[in-house]
Each structure stands twice: as structure tokens, then as C-alpha cells.
Amino acid sequence: MNQRHPMESLLRPAVELQTVWVCLGCAVLCIWAPWSVALTPSIGLGMAAGFLIYGAHRGRQAWIILRYRRNMRRLPRFALRSEQIPVSSRYLWLGKGFRWEARHTQRLHEAQQPNTQVYVQPSRWYRLARRLEIALDRYRAARLLVRMLAADVPLNPVRPLPPVGGNPAIHAVEWKEEDAWMPLGERVGHTLVEGTTRVGKTRMAEVMITQDIHRPSKDVVVCFDPKGDADLLVRMYIEAVRAGRQNEFYVFHLGWPGLSARYNAVGRFGRLSEVATRIANALPNEGNSAAFREFAWRFVNIVNRARHALGHRPSYEQILTDVVNIDGLLIEYAEQKLEAAVPGAWGHVAEFEGRLNDRNWPRNLMGRDKRVVALIQYLQSPDVSIKDSVLEGLLSAVRYDKTYFDKIVASLLPLLEKLTSGRINELLSPDYDDLEDTRPIFDWLQVIRKRGIVYVGLDALSDFEVAQAIGNSMFADLVSVAGHIYKFGVDDGLPTPASGKIAINLHCDEFNELMGPEFIPLVNKGGGAGIQVTAYTQTVSDIEAKIGSAAKAGQVVGNFNNLIMLRVREDKTAELLTNQLRQVNVQSRMLVSMAADNSNPDSDVDFTSSGGDRISTVQVPMLEPADIVNLPKGQAFALMEGGQLWKIRMPLPLPDKGKDVPASVSDIAAGMRRQYNTGERWWEAVAPPPVEIDPELRRAFDSFAAANPQPLGEQGLAANEGARESAVRVALDDSVANTAEVHGDG
């Protein structure tokens, strides 16, 4: 509303309504009784039109005041279905909002004054209704009244406010909302989303991921979710189906190994040393642990070089086996390489082996395999000279005293055992030769070339250390792939290379739990390979605590050009935004009243007085940290495009409609089974024909079917999948073990 006065005042009575009623009465009088105001009927119609036009103008001004006052207490509802979220090939939609300017700081300052609280705080009747709800909730006879008071419908004059908390006035200072867009060219500078628990970070991720999946350019979308949020997984799967990209959708979930795709975190590398670095980065490196970490790196690198020379792909399981039994690796490598270099060498080794006994056994090789000791003695012979760096590395490892060797790799073995225990071993150390297992195996370069969509659920609530180690390895693998793309392009080695750079959108929820030393080069140099990181975390202190250095935490934060700040509870985090904003001038009004006595006895004036309003201007920050702390849920400030500040609010989700939308996570799981071919009849994969089911298993099936009359088909599994699958799998595992023992079939 245009103001011609020195100060804009919107929190006041709507005095324009008085003019509206007067104009309306005059218009009625001019139409029905023009003679009463000495007008002819034709002139009366013209005057009535003039009154109505002026009354409409004043009514519009009154409506602005009333709407502004209403928004101070309750903002209009803003909700969208996923298909209603706008998608652009040039911009990223963030929600509804406005560009924050100095006038909005002025309005927020006015809303915080004591004399305007009557328009900002809930009314007396509202507070009375809430007290009645609490007082009457214990009485059964009054529950109908309580439900009426708590009904969230427009007909309820005291309906409760939305459960979003915060101060609605922060967004209500502007009534002209518009769509908030971020140019896609800004995303390559990475985006940091800060917000405390349960204030809308996941909803922000859903809005962004939905657009990334539906974008016409078919961007690569990768979501790292340490918690393994089922709602986010469902949303990504639904959007992939709607976009026709379900064949490019991969799920890696440590909590659902039966539905998860498989991924070898150390199977792809640019240099052999990267494998040892990815594993060693998950080990502690403070104090004395740093030395053990360096030893662990060396031994992992030794066994990895040997396996690579033998033509084997590294995996966590293979590395654990080789570290525990490095003697066997040395013998295997020597059998293939030594005979080719020196014909008949193993015959001489057998001679040394036959001469070994307890008296001439070297003390430093106590506990080693007899053949290993004989091999070392043969290679130490003066007439034997073999130049093989891999063999020399293996020999240097086994020359350590075995007890000492076990001590220096003591920190490495627990990590490898966590990554190879249970069914997680199937996911992280896939058997490439097992044709029976139809779960896909993916790597990042394959996903990027296919323009895939990947959901990574790390199930950190169940096992944080395993989730952290796998997340670090995945980030390290991505850094390696980014370096390859930066040097050679994404289509290096393909016969028909595609044109253009592929946008790789990484959405990292709770990324402070996953980041390690490899995350800094990912955000620092990954933009050249098309990687666009959107990181979600709660506080800046989380990043600092994870890295262990304030300087490195500042280095990480400094690589994010775009900042989206939801409600936070730490002033240091809020100042990350407020300290980047300039100061603005805010006007304040002060009532002035003065009186002065007249000391002249001859004058008729005994005293003089004056009163008025004085307007003063002071400089204040555009936003205070308290404004960030008081944000309602689902609202945020966005600092982007080189310092442009936007106030935005995200849409509430509406239920999806359509026959192709799964109704539950169980339906999602059933769809993934069909996609990954793990079977609508999963029991056939456990006990495949022609193995005959024994009578005990048959009785288990019959008793289970009697207690659960629903069919064991896809719909029956979707109805009660968890209990049904666990109950029958126990019986199946026992049956298969017994059957294999009888038939001698593994």
C-alpha cells in the first residue's frame, strides 16, 4: 500500500472502513432519494458512481490492513501435491516467499512493539478456548465440546493455530507472495541447508529431489540418508515411477539387505592406493592412533597390490581374509609369480621346507606357516635374485613377529569385521560370479552414465560406525569418479560419447555424520565434474565436532555459496546468516510533551506547553539471530545469488492421487522385488526346486497359513510383510540346512 506519510503504519484499526460505510450510504441516498440532497435523478446516479468508486478504493486499503493483521496471527494455508510442484529446466523452485528488504525489517520492528501486541498475539477468546480444552479434556461428557473447540475448520472462530510454532509475523510482513526461484547455475556452487530437528529439512529435500527427478535433462539424483527415512524413500520411488525413470532407480539400504542393490565401495579406483585410503580414513587418527592408522594403511595397500596383480577385484571381505591370513596370500602370489620367474623354484622351496625343524626355525617367524618360512629362506639365498615390488611388500609384512603384527593391525580388524558381518557382507562384498543373485551391482560411474536415481539408506540408528564407514567410502569413491570425469569426461572409453555435461545432484541429509577428509575436496573441486551438493545439517558445531578443527569446518562452510536457514537453536549457526547481511535504517516514533513556566509577572501567560511525535532513525541489523530462532516450522531464509535474501515457506504435502501410487512401504518393497527380480515368491529363492520340502517345513507352512489366512502372494506379503517373512524364513533356513546336509548339496 502506497504511503504518503513519513512512517508506514499497518498495525492499527482499519479506519478506512468508516469512509467505506459513509460512501455506501451516500451512494444509496443518491440513487433512491436524490431530491433529499437537491440532485436530479441523472446527477444522483453519477454522484452514486463516484461515491462507490471512492468507497471501493478505501475498501481495498481497509482490506490490506485487515489481511495484514490476520496474517500476523495465522498465515494462509499453503499445500501442494507432488505433481503440482513446478519444474523448470533453468530454475529450482524453493517455495512461496518474497525478497527481504529494509521495509520488512521496519515492519517486523513495528510488530515487536508493546502497543501493537493486540494485533499480533492471539485474542482473549482464543486463549479462553485453549484453557477450556485443557480443563474439560478429563471429562467424558465434555468431549464433544472439546472436539468442537479444537476443530480446525474456518467455521470455528477459535480454531487452534497450526502446530508450526514460531512467530508468524516474520513472514506476515509481506502480503504479496511470489514463487522463489534459484537459477540452476547457482547450484554448482553447492547449497547448505541448516535447521534443527523436525523443522522441515526433509520436506525441503523432497521438494528439491522431486524437481531433480522430473527435470527434462534427466539429472543424476543421489540421496544419502543416514537414518533410512522410509517416507523419503517412498517419495523418491513414486517420483521415479511418475517420471518414467523407475528402471534407473537404485536402492542401497543397510536395513533392507533383501531389497537393496549391491555396491562394492572399494571395487572401483583410479589409483591402487585409494583403496587403502578409503579404509584408513574410517579409523581414528588422534594421538597414538595416528601411528596405527598409518600401519593399517600400509598393510591394506600391500594386500591390495597383491590381489590386483593376481587379477582380483578388491572387496572388504577379501581384504579382511588377506589381513588375517597374509601367509596364504603370500603363498598364492608366489605360486603364480615365482614359478614363472624362476622355473623349478618351488622344488627348491620344498627342500628348504623339509630341512626346517624347531631348532632352526627363525625366532621372528614363530607362528608363521612352514611354507612361508621356507620361501623366505629360499629368497634369501645368495644365488636367488628376484625383483618384484609386490612380493617384497608381502615379505616385509610377514617378517614382522606375528604377535607384533596382530597388535599393529588391531584397530583395522574390528572395522573390517563390522563391514563383513551378517547380510551386510552380501551388499558390500558382492559375488560377481553368483548368477543366482539377481540384485543389481552398481558403481558411481555406471549410475552417472545411466543418469540414475540412487537412494542410499545407511541405517545409522542401528549401527552408527558401519554407516559412517560406508558413507565415507562412498564419498571417497565419488571424489575419485569426479576426478576421472574432470580429466577425461563422463563418456571416456565409450564408442559414441554423449554431448554436454551431466548434472550430478547429491542430497546429503545429516551430512556431518558422513563427512570425512574426502568431503572437503568433493565440495571444493567437484563442481568442475558437474557435482552439485545440497547438504543438510543442524548446526555449524556438528561440522566442527566431526572434523575436529574449526579451520576445516570453516573451509567446508566456505565452499557453500547458497545458504538456506530454517529454525536453529544455536546463535553461532544463526550468525552464519545474519553476519553476512548489511545494516539498515529503522524509524521509531517517540511521543514528545513539554511544558515551560513563564517567570514574567506582568504577562497574562503563566506557562506554555507543546506536544507531538518525533521520528528518529537508527541503524540495526537486517536480521537478528533471535529472528532465526523464532522461525515457524517449514519456513526459512535463503541467501543466494551473491547475497540476495529471500524469505520463503515450503508447501505442506497433500496426499497423492492416482492408481499408480503405492499405499505403503510394503507396496514399495513389493515393487522393488519385481524390479530387482528377487521374486514375488521369495521362498523359491531360499529353497529353489528341485529341493524337496521336508514334512517339518510343510507343517510350519500349514500352521502359519491357518493363523494367517491371507494368501502368501504379493498382496499378502504387503499386508503383513515383516511378521510373515520372518516367521517363514526361520523354518525355511532350517529346512534348507537339513536338506543340503542329506543331499550333500551346498
Side-chain angles (χ1 to χ4, degrees), residues 503-520:
I504 306 167
N505 299 301
L506 301 184
H507 295 268
C508 308
D509 193 11
E510 305 292 348
F511 85 105
N512 56 287
E513 298 182 2
L514 307 175
M515 63 183 302
E518 57 281 327
F519 190 82
I520 296 177

Side-chain angles (χ1 to χ4, degrees), residues 427-446:
L427 305 183
L428 301 180
S429 302
D431 186 357
Y432 293 87
D433 299 327
D434 185 7
L435 301 181
E436 299 287 334
D437 193 344
T438 56
R439 290 173 296 178
I441 304 174
F442 71 93
D443 61 70
W444 292 123
L445 188 58
Q446 167 198 352

Side-chain angles (χ1 to χ4, degrees), residues 404-652:
Y404 178 70
F405 177 82
D406 293 339
K407 290 181 180 179
I408 61 179
V409 297
S411 60
L412 176 64
L413 296 180
L415 172 66
L416 293 176
E417 288 176 358
K418 291 175 183 177
L419 298 175
T420 56
S421 299
R423 300 195 65 187
I424 292 180
N425 186 45
E426 304 174 9
L427 305 183
L428 301 180
S429 302
D431 186 357
Y432 293 87
D433 299 327
D434 185 7
L435 301 181
E436 299 287 334
D437 193 344
T438 56
R439 290 173 296 178
I441 304 174
F442 71 93
D443 61 70
W444 292 123
L445 188 58
Q446 167 198 352
V447 168
I448 294 171
R449 287 174 173 174
K450 195 178 178 180
R451 299 177 182 264
I453 304 168
V454 183
Y455 173 86
V456 179
L458 298 176
D459 199 22
L461 295 177
S462 300
D463 196 331
F464 174 75
E465 293 188 11
V466 172
Q468 185 180 25
I470 296 174
N472 288 337
S473 297
M474 285 187 166
F475 279 140
D477 194 2
L478 276 170
V479 172
S480 176
V481 172
H484 177 85
I485 295 175
Y486 191 81
K487 291 182 291 186
F488 307 110
V490 71
D491 298 312
D492 177 53
L494 296 181
T496 56
S499 58
K501 184 183 294 184
I502 299 177
I504 306 167
N505 299 301
L506 301 184
H507 295 268
C508 308
D509 193 11
E510 305 292 348
F511 85 105
N512 56 287
E513 298 182 2
L514 307 175
M515 63 183 302
E518 57 281 327
F519 190 82
I520 296 177
L522 180 66
V523 296
N524 193 11
K525 305 175 181 65
I531 293 179
Q532 303 172 163
V533 178
T534 304
Y536 308 81
T537 187
Q538 297 181 2
T539 63
V540 177
S541 297
D542 293 337
I543 306 175
E544 184 175 340
K546 174 61 179 177
I547 297 182
S549 169
K552 288 185 178 180
Q555 184 182 7
V556 172
V557 174
N559 281 285
F560 289 95
N561 291 333
N562 308 306
L563 177 63
I564 299 177
M565 186 74 68
L566 292 91
R567 182 201 298 175
V568 297
R569 301 299 301 172
E570 185 185 53
D571 288 343
K572 181 180 178 181
T573 305
E575 290 171 356
L576 184 65
L577 171 67
T578 58
N579 289 345
Q580 300 184 54
L581 304 177
R582 66 181 187 276
Q583 291 194 332
V584 296
N585 293 326
V586 170
Q587 296 177 336
S588 60
R589 184 179 60 187
M590 182 173 57
L591 297 177
V592 179
S593 179
M594 296 181 295
D597 295 335
N598 189 358
S599 59
N600 185 3
D602 298 329
S603 174
D604 295 334
V605 179
D606 296 328
F607 67 93
T608 60
S609 64
S610 64
D613 292 341
R614 178 178 296 175
I615 299 176
S616 61
T617 302
V618 294
Q619 275 199 341
V620 299
M622 183 173 283
L623 284 177
E624 297 281 358
D627 300 327
I628 310 298
V629 174
N630 291 328
L631 277 173
K633 296 178 183 178
Q635 297 187 19
F637 285 98
L639 189 65
M640 53 188 180
E641 295 188 74
Q644 294 187 15
L645 181 64
W646 280 75
K647 176 64 182 65
I648 59 175
R649 60 173 179 152
M650 295 169 287
L652 297 172

Side-chain angles (χ1 to χ4, degrees), residues 214-409:
H214 287 274
R215 192 162 289 118
S217 56
K218 290 189 175 182
D219 297 349
V220 178
V221 183
V222 181
C223 177
F224 289 90
D225 185 9
K227 301 185 298 293
D229 192 343
D231 293 335
L232 184 57
L233 168 59
V234 169
R235 174 55 49 201
M236 291 185 64
Y237 181 76
I238 290 174
E239 301 308 327
V241 172
R242 283 184 173 149
R245 302 177 63 182
Q246 64 270 21
N247 292 331
E248 299 129 26
F249 185 74
Y250 294 90
V251 174
F252 179 85
H253 203 300
L254 297 180
W256 295 344
L259 299 177
S260 174
R262 295 174 290 169
Y263 168 74
N264 189 351
V266 294
R268 187 180 185 90
F269 46 85
R271 293 190 297 268
L272 281 173
S273 59
E274 293 180 14
V275 176
T277 301
R278 295 175 195 176
I279 295 177
N281 282 343
L283 299 175
N285 60 350
E286 296 86 8
N288 295 331
S289 300
F292 289 96
R293 181 187 180 196
E294 295 300 323
F295 275 114
W297 185 96
R298 179 173 181 267
F299 287 120
V300 172
N301 190 55
I302 288 174
V303 299
N304 182 52
R305 290 177 60 195
R307 281 296 168 190
H308 185 266
L310 293 173
H312 299 164
R313 187 191 298 265
S315 66
Y316 287 124
E317 183 181 23
Q318 187 64 63
I319 292 173
L320 174 61
T321 302
D322 293 336
V323 170
V324 172
N325 184 24
I326 196 170
D327 294 357
L329 176 61
L330 174 59
I331 294 172
E332 182 181 355
Y333 182 83
E335 285 177 350
Q336 292 195 19
K337 302 296 182 181
L338 188 61
E339 190 68 28
V342 182
W346 277 108
H348 298 292
V349 172
E351 295 177 1
F352 279 91
E353 185 177 356
R355 293 195 294 265
L356 280 174
N357 53 51
D358 295 338
R359 289 177 297 177
N360 60 5
W361 196 288
R363 184 174 298 275
N364 66 313
L365 298 179
M366 297 296 293
R368 294 294 181 187
D369 188 275
K370 189 175 183 180
R371 178 164 293 189
V372 170
V373 179
L375 177 63
I376 293 176
Q377 292 182 347
Y378 168 73
L379 293 176
Q380 290 176 347
S381 302
D383 55 342
V384 177
S385 177
I386 299 176
K387 301 298 182 180
D388 190 322
S389 60
V390 177
L391 182 60
E392 290 295 333
L394 290 171
L395 291 173
S396 67
V398 299
R399 284 193 184 105
Y400 283 104
D401 182 85
K402 193 173 189 307
T403 304
Y404 178 70
F405 177 82
D406 293 339
K407 290 181 180 179
I408 61 179
V409 297

